[in-house]
Amino acid sequence: MGHKEDLLEGAKRCLLEKGYGRTTARDIVAASGTNLASIGYHYGSKDALLQQAFLALTEEWGDRVTPPEVDGDEGGAPESSADPYERFHAVWARLIAAAEASRPVWKLQTEVVTRLDDDEKLRDAIKEPQREGRLGIAEGMLGIDPAAEPEKARVAGLLCQALATGVMIQWMVDPETAPSADDLTEGLRVLMEGQ
């Protein structure tokens, strides 16, 4: 790895350990084994580097909770089920199973959200990746092709993103009463069927 990659990896470690607001350029340099000048040379500023590191961490989280592609075999992933409730349950069971391991990323995300009113550059930096993330969620979690069905992917991604944020925050606050995949599936059934 070169200095640019080392800086990004160091910044990611610092964000997870110290948070966005408490990470200094010197922390990143110490974690990456590089020097202060490297930050400016490769990223322009510490803030630009932290923005890239934050986006990389959230993308890595998405990759961890998105299922591998279903290959069509009979033993395929539950997401291949024709029953939409079974598919929904399988998606949320996987996301919830990763809740504890995902805690540092979600802690960081909540900190970043609290900074957005005061940091226009940060808000601008995450707008487009958030939009792309919604489409990625629709494709990865629900199998909706954004190119073939853009509006369906957009609205499904919006709903899944809202659910994921709410579910993960509930797991951070009180894992004992946070929703399970069964709870979410039954709640969806009640909403859809009115029962």
Side-chain angles (χ1 to χ4, degrees):
M1 263 195 302
H3 275 205
K4 185 174 185 177
E5 296 81 11
D6 292 339
L7 285 165
L8 186 62
E9 290 304 313
K12 288 173 7 185
R13 282 193 303 277
C14 289
L15 285 174
L16 293 174
E17 293 169 10
K18 299 183 79 120
Y20 202 95
R22 294 185 329 158
T23 295
T24 67
R26 292 192 186 283
D27 293 330
I28 297 167
V29 167
S32 65
T34 61
N35 58 63
L36 283 172
S38 294
I39 294 174
Y41 179 77
H42 291 292
Y43 292 94
S45 69
K46 176 196 84 162
D47 290 338
L49 171 55
L50 289 179
Q51 290 166 9
Q52 287 298 309
F54 171 71
L55 293 173
L57 285 167
T58 56
E59 187 174 318
E60 290 167 8
W61 173 83
D63 291 344
R64 281 194 304 276
V65 299
T66 299
E69 289 187 34
V70 178
D71 59 12
D73 292 341
E74 286 184 25
E79 290 81 4
S80 63
S81 170
D83 182 334
Y85 292 111
E86 286 179 19
R87 285 196 315 266
F88 182 87
H89 187 277
V91 165
W92 293 101
R94 188 180 50 262
L95 190 137
I96 290 167
E100 194 54 41
S102 300
R103 189 178 189 86
V105 173
W106 281 94
K107 181 179 175 186
L108 175 62
Q109 286 191 17
T110 57
E111 179 191 354
V112 166
V113 167
T114 66
R115 301 177 68 81
L116 295 179
D117 282 346
D118 301 319
D119 191 337
E120 191 173 327
K121 287 182 180 179
L122 177 60
R123 183 176 48 246
D124 289 343
I126 66 174
K127 279 182 185 178
E128 189 57 32
Q130 177 176 275
R131 292 176 186 139
E132 291 171 10
R134 290 176 190 142
L135 299 178
I137 288 171
E139 186 170 29
M141 291 184 156
L142 304 175
I144 300 169
D145 180 359
E149 300 179 280
E151 183 60 11
K152 186 176 180 180
R154 185 186 73 81
V155 297
L158 284 167
L159 178 63
C160 287
Q161 190 177 52
L163 277 173
T165 301
V167 167
M168 295 311 291
I169 288 175
Q170 289 181 65
W171 272 91
M172 289 176 69
V173 172
D174 185 5
E176 292 179 19
T177 63
S180 67
D182 290 341
D183 294 332
L184 292 171
T185 305
E186 189 55 32
L188 177 63
R189 193 180 310 275
V190 168
L191 285 172
M192 297 303 294
E193 299 173 5
Q195 300 175 9

